[in-house]
Amino acid sequence: MRLDKFLADMGVGSRSDLKKDIRGGKVVIDGKMIKDPGFAVPEGAQVLYKGQKVAYEEFVYYMLNKPAGAISASEDPKQKTVIDLLDERKRKDLFPVGRLDKDTEGLLLITNDGELAHQLLSPKKHVDKVYYARIEGRVTEEDVEKFRAGLQIGEDFTAMPAQLEILASGDTSEIKVTIQEGKFHQVKRMFHAVGKEVVYLKRLSMGTLLLDESLAPGAYRRLTDEELAGLKGHWGDR
Ligand code: URA
């Protein structure tokens, strides 16, 4: 891999600034100053940029407890995105795996691994996404049956069967719902279809990946090796 791309991928600077720095002698590889931005970095080489070691990682994986108010996008000219919440040195190719609405909280995986994202999001892979919600209105066993049967949401879309669990039923109800798709506003539309409204929504899990409840809204951490292996186990090793 080219030296300027290697460094840019690791988030230490923009490609154009890095080219200048490389020409200016700020990079040492295996003990030798390298001034060519197109230099092919050998596998396993020790790369120092401004004296700091930079190790190459092909893929990175973060678990974010998404707060309400951030949008699930990589960039936005006006609004704060979930990527803006990662305040460490970060690479440029990160994206959120699927979308949570602006007002939804909870588990969001952020990565640059497009293959894993595809596998987790494809309805054909049947990866469970579990949400906790507070609902305006009394959620009943009849609703549970309707969710199980597969609700029509919108003119031409019938949701796959979903498992609805009532945690508390009253003027405001609390539920857990498990779905395997991720259509726009899906949970809200499913409740709307049974005449009720979601007033609070939080994602708790995606496949084997559970929200780390010690993360406050807006906080994040890297996935552990076990968490990553669990997610990949859904669709086999690469
Ligand atoms: N369903 C919704 O309605 N909103 C979300 O953010 C996620 C699932």
Side-chain angles (χ1 to χ4, degrees):
M1 179 180 301
R2 287 177 60 99
L3 176 55
D4 53 359
K5 176 165 164 44
F6 177 105
L7 291 171
D9 279 359
M10 291 307 96
V12 297
S14 71
R15 194 111 166 222
S16 55
D17 285 347
L18 287 166
K19 279 189 174 139
K20 281 184 218 144
D21 286 348
I22 295 166
R23 292 198 181 100
K26 302 259 167 46
V27 178
V28 173
I29 299 183
D30 290 336
K32 260 182 73 181
M33 187 187 291
I34 302 289
K35 291 187 160 188
D36 172 11
F39 177 83
V41 181
E43 283 266 332
Q46 192 203 56
V47 178
L48 300 180
Y49 169 64
K50 296 184 178 170
Q52 300 272 338
K53 205 165 152 186
V54 181
Y56 194 80
E57 281 180 293
E58 190 176 8
F59 297 119
V60 289
Y61 306 88
Y62 297 97
M63 172 192 298
L64 169 72
N65 183 359
K66 180 191 170 298
I71 62 165
S72 299
S74 297
E75 304 185 273
D76 191 90
K78 294 204 187 81
Q79 302 193 69
K80 186 195 281 186
T81 73
V82 290
I83 305 296
D84 294 333
L85 296 168
L86 309 186
D87 53 12
E88 62 191 50
R89 184 171 91 182
K90 64 191 169 212
R91 45 190 307 151
K92 300 281 171 279
D93 53 358
L94 295 174
F95 60 87
V97 177
R99 286 171 182 272
L100 292 178
D101 296 336
K102 189 171 175 185
D103 60 356
T104 300
E105 296 185 356
L107 177 67
L108 192 61
L109 176 63
I110 293 176
T111 184
N112 60 329
D113 184 344
E115 177 74 24
L116 178 64
H118 171 72
Q119 299 296 332
L120 292 172
L121 295 175
S122 167
K124 290 195 201 104
K125 303 288 173 185
H126 299 278
V127 175
D128 284 345
K129 286 112 191 164
V130 181
Y131 293 84
Y132 163 85
R134 280 197 291 276
I135 310 293
E136 207 168 74
R138 184 177 294 275
V139 178
T140 63
E141 287 303 322
E142 209 181 313
D143 297 326
V144 174
E145 276 311 310
K146 287 182 183 163
F147 273 62
R148 188 179 293 144
L151 278 167
Q152 186 170 356
I153 54 174
E155 301 228 316
D156 51 4
F157 181 72
T158 302
M160 284 162 64
Q163 194 189 328
L164 176 59
E165 185 187 341
I166 302 172
L167 304 174
S169 185
D171 291 344
T172 303
S173 304
E174 289 180 57
I175 62 94
K176 254 192 211 179
V177 64
T178 305
I179 60 176
Q180 295 174 338
E181 300 157 299
K183 292 276 179 229
F184 185 59
H185 292 334
Q186 177 147 348
V187 173
K188 291 173 185 166
R189 283 158 70 201
M190 290 170 91
F191 277 97
H192 193 73
V194 295
K196 281 145 214 171
E197 298 303 328
V198 172
V199 291
Y200 174 79
L201 187 61
K202 176 178 178 179
R203 182 155 63 195
L204 303 177
S205 66
M206 191 173 198
T208 53
L209 186 63
L210 310 182
L211 176 66
D212 179 342
E213 293 286 351
S214 73
L215 294 173
Y220 64 93
R221 65 162 170 78
R222 296 269 189 145
L223 290 200
T224 64
D225 291 346
E226 289 74 27
E227 286 168 335
L228 185 57
L231 280 183
K232 290 188 172 177
H234 270 288
W235 51 285
D237 291 323
R238 282 189 288 178

